[in-house]
Amino acid sequence: MKVSRLAVATGIAASSVLLLSGTAFAHVSVQPQGEAAKGGYATVNFKVPNERDNASTVKLEVNMPAEHPLASVMPQAVPGWKIEVTKAKLAKPLDVHGKKITEAVSKVTWTADGSKIEPGRFQQFPVSLGRLPEDTDQLVFKALQTYDNKEVVRWIEEAKEGAPEPESPAPVLKLSAATEDEHGGAKGASAKDAKNSGHDAEATSKAAESDDSSDTTARILGIVGILVGAAGVAFGVLAGRRRSA
């Protein structure tokens, strides 16, 4: 009995640790919608979970990477949130399609305006970014999360290779290999998709032919069955007449 109680207690304790760990490791992150390829454009979501049981998130500030300025930063409207875009002069102008860009967005701020992120909830804030740099494998976005009790959580710590994840890690966007398309689409994928489409069409055609063949066979068998049945009935009638005679 004591052993069973000890096992139950141990199980409860372990479950509590796992639950608490899950809550502790929830943090502001950035996730691409599809692929974020070097040299291209991408739409990303800044995912903000509420980590408090007695307060709601009412503000998010995301700093753009100063070492890799982005010429285009366009946040999507989010119902119940006011958006403020802050720009700054660039020490080194960007050359985009032959045009010199002397300033770029340095920070995007979302402030609750009729909405908030309540305990046990999360909110996503979409942003279109481009062109993504080609000389790095990732972009770091330092963020500040403010609660309605005035608490500010600073998600600004950068992870180091081989070291444990920081307590308050900054959101990191991983960049995939550059594609031929300047807008982040893979030109090579079109041929592959076309090939796959061809295979799919061929498979569909064969399936249709198989279905037609099966349907025709079923009809023939049905007709044969009807004829056999009719012959059986006729044979029965004739046999009855002979017995009567």
Side-chain angles (χ1 to χ4, degrees), residues 183-198:
H183 293 292
K187 287 185 176 180
S190 59
K192 182 178 180 181
D193 292 341
K195 184 177 180 181
N196 290 337
S197 298

Side-chain angles (χ1 to χ4, degrees), residues 34-200:
E35 186 178 22
K38 298 177 182 180
Y41 292 78
T43 297
V44 303
N45 287 322
F46 287 96
K47 184 178 179 181
V48 183
N50 193 323
E51 294 187 308
R52 302 294 179 263
D53 296 327
N54 57 353
S56 297
T57 297
V58 293
K59 187 177 182 180
L60 173 68
E61 301 171 68
V62 176
N63 293 280
M64 299 296 114
E67 65 278 14
H68 297 289
L70 301 169
S72 176
V73 177
M74 295 187 294
Q76 181 178 326
V78 179
W81 294 82
K82 181 176 63 177
I83 302 174
E84 181 182 357
V85 177
T86 304
K87 293 186 176 182
K89 291 288 184 180
L90 296 176
K92 181 180 179 181
L94 296 175
D95 187 355
V96 181
H97 302 304
K99 182 179 179 181
K100 294 293 183 181
I101 305 297
T102 58
E103 66 175 12
V105 174
S106 59
K107 181 173 68 174
V108 179
T109 304
W110 291 266
T111 305
D113 186 21
S115 185
K116 57 185 176 181
I117 308 174
E118 300 176 342
R121 306 287 185 180
F122 76 91
Q123 177 66 53
Q124 295 193 114
F125 299 91
V127 181
S128 174
L129 304 174
R131 296 179 58 176
L132 300 176
E134 298 183 46
D135 58 349
T136 183
D137 294 326
Q138 64 180 31
L139 291 176
V140 179
F141 299 86
K142 296 183 179 182
L144 302 181
Q145 180 180 10
T146 302
Y147 289 88
D148 55 9
N149 61 359
K150 307 303 180 183
E151 178 188 5
V152 178
V153 180
R154 300 169 62 83
W155 303 100
I156 62 173
E157 298 180 57
E158 297 188 38
K160 296 181 180 180
E161 187 175 356
E165 184 180 49
E167 184 177 349
S168 300
V172 176
L173 176 65
K174 300 292 185 180
L175 302 181
S176 60
T179 62
E180 295 179 5
D181 187 345
E182 64 180 8
H183 293 292
K187 287 185 176 180
S190 59
K192 182 178 180 181
D193 292 341
K195 184 177 180 181
N196 290 337
S197 298
H199 287 314
D200 292 342

Side-chain angles (χ1 to χ4, degrees), residues 202-220:
E202 183 180 356
T204 303
S205 176
K206 288 183 178 179
E209 290 176 2
S210 178
D211 290 342
D212 291 342
S213 178
S214 299
D215 187 50
T216 301
T217 303
R219 289 179 181 178
I220 293 174

